[in-house]
Amino acid sequence: MAKSFKNLPSCPGVYLMKNVQGEVLYVGKASSLRHRVASYFQSSAQPNFMAQPMMRYVNDVEYVATTNSVDALILENNLIKEHQPRYNVKLKDDKRYPYLKISVQEPFPRLSVTRQSDNSGAKFFGPFVHVRAIRQTIKQLTKVFPIRTCGLDLKASENPHRVCLDYHINRCPGPCADLINPDEYGEIVQSVCRFLSGNTRQVLKELEEKMESAAATLDFEAAAKYRDRIDMVKQAIARQNLDTVSAADEDVIGIAYNGTEACAQVLMVRDGKLMDREHYFLNDVDSELPVESLTAFVQQFYQNASFIPKTIVLPNETEMPEAIRKWLSEKRGSGTNLHIPQKGRMRRLVEMASKNAELILNQKETHVVYKAGDNPALIELQELLSLSHPPQRIEGFDISNLGSQFAVGSMVVLEDGEPAKSEYRRFKIRTVQGQDDFAMMNEVLGRRLSRAIAENTLPDLILIDGGKGQLSAACEALESLNLENLPIIGLAKRFEHIFLPGQSEPIVLRHDNPTLHLIQRLRDEAHRFALAYHRKLRSRALNHSVLDAIPNIGAKRKQALLQHFGSIDSIRVASLDQLLAVKGITHAIAANIRKHLSERGKNA
């Protein structure tokens, strides 16, 4: 091997180390192929802990010379993806994150969500870590900039379609019916692209100029529309959680190590706001070689990124930093800075990212960490309620009744934040007389949890529709079964406050909080499911009633009677005047009702 070193060129390039079977063990890049490859075989060389065992299997070294270091970076990335070498540091995260796609190659571009990039010429924005975030982004965008989200194949003109609901609620200008021309629509698309790129200042400036121009020409209706749009843009910007003194686009990277594994966290700051954060695991790393690990992460993370910020803040140096900077600048289309801060705001952000990466590694070691795709609302719910882990199974309960008739209970289930409809259950109230919602909730929970104990299917969290009273009744059911440690909360309808057992003060979340939305949806689903069962029983009673035997009493009159009195027993004891108060009941029919029910007595 040593004799061949002299034949290696001194130019930049990529080298592939192979075993005797020709399998690629390692792919590396170099500013000088000759010097880099020779360093592995010199007697004074001290290879890292991964290279040391690898060298025993290296039988051949191939190389590919490149014209510059940037090309070497790109080629190394491609070869690592192709061969998946055993001894390369590799980004373990292989999931596809969702992107926002704008089909700018079409006459009327549309906004859509995709997990796969293509070569169609469309623009991609992202990635977004959570699907909920991308849905909220689309919702806010279409309020501010009416852009179509449908899948229609539109031409520049003569489109024969009818407008949909989005047009009527001002979230689409109706290109499907030729209600806007491509040039006017193109201005909307440009604003959307600027907004998604983080250039909100330019968007606001353009809208303000259009508002002033419309006002100058006395077109006050158009000026008012631009004013409202400006307000919505400002509100969308203000929704971000963290403001910084900078208005720049930055990615802040921190890395923590644990043996041969590392975790990198990226804080994504856009227009001075912390937009998102995400962590990635790397394997086959050496904590003594942070330069190599960081270089591998930067290369693999930004290889397919649709957006590269102006500044990338790093915890330490990378290999071939100038080549990486040029490569990123070429991908971005303008200059990109690699910055290693020593103090100040950026250093604090790097330390925050590194600390979070360390915590994630520690959690992973104890099997507490959850994959990035997990519902963030469940994780926040864990923190709010001091649970040991995010609640994977949540059961929601509600009671529905009309007086003392047709009282029922419902149980609906969320598993990993999604409805598990096959797990839904409904209950007829058996032991409670009269309208006592607390006692009914006690019965339903007692029956459900008794079965859960027998089947070993206890939930991670119980949600009760109601405030302190309903929650207290539910807690009594838990205590009777020695389940007082089972997490349970109540959601009061009026102010949407969350109540916990033994605490007088509720948890109050903002109305736009995703965690509140999650439990609201569960509560509403429990209410819907209970009400549907209640109506089914009531409808069945209407169709099979003692009233059927009374002449001139059809379905409408049966329904009117039961809605008015609530039960057959109440109708039986009603006076003639009370019966006449029901719509559609005449003197003759009222007399028939009293006569018939009196004859049937209690068996009616």
Side-chain angles (χ1 to χ4, degrees):
M1 296 292 295
K3 293 180 179 178
S4 64
F5 297 152
K6 294 180 181 179
N7 298 324
L8 290 174
S10 298
C11 65
V14 174
Y15 56 92
L16 297 85
M17 292 189 171
K18 298 184 174 183
N19 61 15
V20 68
Q21 289 83 23
E23 178 187 2
V24 177
L25 301 175
Y26 183 79
V27 176
K29 62 187 171 303
S31 299
S32 170
L33 284 169
R34 180 186 301 170
H35 293 155
R36 180 62 171 164
V37 174
S39 68
Y40 285 91
F41 299 93
Q42 292 171 355
S43 58
S44 60
Q46 295 181 347
N48 65 56
F49 84 107
M50 289 302 295
Q52 192 167 8
M54 176 188 74
M55 297 309 297
R56 292 179 294 177
Y57 304 108
V58 174
N59 182 67
D60 188 20
V61 179
E62 292 183 2
Y63 70 89
V64 179
T66 59
T67 55
N68 54 57
S69 298
V70 174
D71 289 344
L73 279 172
I74 297 171
L75 181 58
E76 182 195 30
N77 268 336
N78 293 336
L79 291 175
I80 290 174
K81 274 198 166 184
E82 178 183 352
H83 295 289
Q84 291 292 304
R86 165 69 180 83
Y87 293 97
N88 275 94
V89 174
K90 293 181 286 295
L91 199 60
K92 292 173 68 175
D93 190 281
D94 61 352
K95 55 186 172 291
R96 292 184 179 273
Y97 287 104
Y99 289 81
L100 276 176
K101 174 183 177 181
I102 300 181
S103 55
V104 293
Q105 75 279 11
E106 298 179 3
F108 292 102
R110 56 194 171 96
L111 183 66
S112 61
V113 180
T114 181
R115 291 182 183 268
Q116 183 127 21
S117 59
D118 53 49
N119 298 320
S120 62
K123 287 189 175 182
F124 295 86
F125 300 90
F128 289 77
V129 178
H130 305 295
V131 175
R132 176 180 282 106
I134 204 168
R135 299 295 180 195
Q136 289 176 341
T137 299
I138 290 176
K139 183 177 180 180
Q140 294 302 320
L141 268 177
T142 53
K143 284 182 180 178
V144 181
F145 307 109
I147 182 173
R148 75 182 183 106
T149 57
C150 66
L152 294 176
D153 185 14
L154 301 184
K155 299 176 292 185
S157 61
E158 299 181 0
N159 291 293
H161 306 284
R162 295 175 60 185
V163 294
C164 65
L165 178 62
D166 282 350
Y167 173 79
H168 295 290
I169 60 175
N170 299 318
R171 293 195 176 184
C172 177
C176 59
D178 292 337
L179 298 179
I180 187 173
N181 63 55
D183 291 338
E184 292 174 340
Y185 189 86
E187 294 180 6
I188 297 173
V189 174
Q190 289 177 8
S191 295
V192 172
C193 292
R194 291 193 186 100
F195 187 88
L196 289 174
S197 299
N199 194 357
T200 53
R201 289 185 173 183
Q202 180 65 25
V203 172
L204 284 172
K205 181 180 178 182
E206 290 178 358
L207 290 174
E208 288 168 353
E209 289 175 352
K210 290 179 180 179
M211 180 183 68
E212 292 170 0
S213 175
T217 58
L218 305 182
D219 188 354
F220 299 115
E221 183 178 353
K225 289 181 179 178
Y226 287 123
R227 178 203 62 203
D228 295 341
R229 194 171 293 179
I230 289 168
D231 289 340
M232 284 190 285
V233 171
K234 289 179 178 179
Q235 289 173 17
I237 296 171
R239 286 180 183 272
Q240 306 309 323
N241 297 321
L242 178 66
D243 288 306
T244 70
V245 296
S246 169
D249 295 337
E250 302 163 346
D251 278 355
V252 181
I253 300 174
I255 294 188
Y257 299 87
N258 185 1
T260 63
E261 189 171 39
C263 178
Q265 181 164 92
V266 183
L267 306 179
M268 302 169 189
V269 179
R270 302 292 180 262
D271 200 24
K273 314 273 189 310
L274 180 61
M275 299 289 286
D276 217 332
R277 62 180 183 176
E278 186 52 271
H279 64 266
Y280 304 84
F281 294 108
L282 300 99
N283 59 4
D284 299 337
V285 300
D286 183 354
S287 59
E288 299 298 322
L289 296 170
V291 171
E292 180 180 322
S293 301
L294 181 61
T295 303
F297 175 74
V298 169
Q299 285 181 252
Q300 296 177 56
F301 179 74
Y302 289 107
Q303 183 180 18
N304 297 316
S306 63
F307 177 78
I308 296 174
K310 182 177 182 181
T311 302
I312 298 174
V313 185
L314 304 173
N316 54 262
E317 285 281 357
T318 65
E319 296 177 331
M320 302 167 62
E322 186 59 26
I324 290 178
R325 189 193 64 76
K326 288 182 179 178
W327 169 61
L328 292 171
S329 297
E330 288 177 7
K331 287 180 68 65
R332 184 174 187 267
S334 59
T336 296
N337 301 320
L338 299 179
H339 182 52
I340 306 171
Q342 303 302 316
K343 59 182 180 179
R345 179 186 69 90
M346 286 189 176
R347 187 64 204 174
R348 291 194 297 272
L349 286 174
V350 169
E351 290 171 352
M352 181 174 76
S354 299
K355 180 63 176 176
N356 277 278
E358 181 182 354
L359 291 171
I360 291 167
L361 268 182
N362 292 338
Q363 290 176 330
K364 186 173 188 293
E365 186 71 15
T366 56
H367 306 288
V368 177
V369 71
Y370 285 74
K371 62 182 184 294
D374 277 344
N375 194 324
L378 296 179
I379 296 173
E380 184 178 7
L381 202 54
Q382 172 198 2
E383 296 171 353
L384 284 173
L385 306 179
S386 301
L387 305 178
S388 60
H389 57 81
Q392 293 176 298
R393 181 184 175 95
I394 308 176
E395 295 181 358
F397 293 85
D398 190 23
I399 300 296
S400 182
N401 63 75
L402 180 62
S404 60
Q405 289 291 304
F406 316 119
V408 298
S410 70
M411 179 192 83
V412 298
V413 180
L414 287 185
E415 290 186 345
D416 295 324
E418 298 296 329
K421 295 194 175 182
S422 63
E423 298 292 312
Y424 287 14
R425 297 291 182 268
R426 53 195 189 185
F427 306 84
K428 281 185 181 178
I429 302 301
R430 299 172 180 167
T431 63
V432 180
Q433 299 298 321
Q435 191 169 1
D436 188 342
D437 285 6
F438 297 167
M440 292 177 185
M441 181 62 74
N442 190 310
E443 177 188 331
V444 168
L445 268 178
R447 288 163 57 187
R448 159 59 192 155
L449 294 176
S450 295
R451 182 173 225 174
I453 293 172
E455 297 174 349
N456 195 24
T457 58
L458 287 171
D460 298 307
L461 177 65
I462 290 175
L463 171 67
I464 301 300
D465 179 13
K468 294 181 181 180
Q470 288 87 344
L471 183 61
S472 178
C475 287
E476 289 178 8
L478 267 59
E479 290 170 5
S480 67
L481 296 169
N482 296 319
L483 294 175
E484 54 270 10
N485 292 325
L486 186 63
I488 183 170
I489 59 174
L491 182 62
K493 279 192 179 75
R494 184 176 180 185
F495 298 110
E496 305 290 35
H497 289 175
I498 302 170
F499 287 92
L500 277 65
Q503 295 187 17
S504 58
E505 294 299 320
I507 295 175
V508 181
L509 299 178
R510 287 178 45 167
H511 288 292
D512 59 354
N513 186 291
T515 300
L516 179 61
H517 293 170
L518 178 81
I519 58 179
Q520 282 175 328
R521 286 198 301 273
L522 181 63
R523 186 270 315 279
D524 294 344
E525 178 71 348
H527 180 70
R528 180 200 67 78
F529 195 56
L531 186 59
Y533 187 38
H534 172 83
R535 286 173 174 167
K536 181 178 180 179
L537 294 180
R538 192 173 67 191
S539 176
R540 185 182 299 168
L542 284 173
N543 294 328
H544 302 85
S545 169
V546 67
L547 299 177
D548 291 334
I550 303 175
N552 299 317
I553 297 294
K556 289 185 178 179
R557 283 176 175 153
K558 279 192 297 183
Q559 184 176 7
L561 286 165
L562 287 172
Q563 284 182 340
H564 186 86
F565 292 104
S567 69
I568 297 295
D569 288 338
S570 297
I571 299 173
R572 180 181 290 112
V573 299
S575 66
L576 190 65
D577 288 339
Q578 288 174 325
L579 290 171
L580 289 172
V582 179
K583 183 179 179 180
I585 302 300
T586 64
H587 278 278
I589 294 174
N592 265 339
I593 292 172
R594 286 174 57 80
K595 178 183 177 182
H596 185 86
L597 293 183
S598 175
E599 290 174 353
R600 292 289 300 269
K602 294 184 178 180
N603 295 322

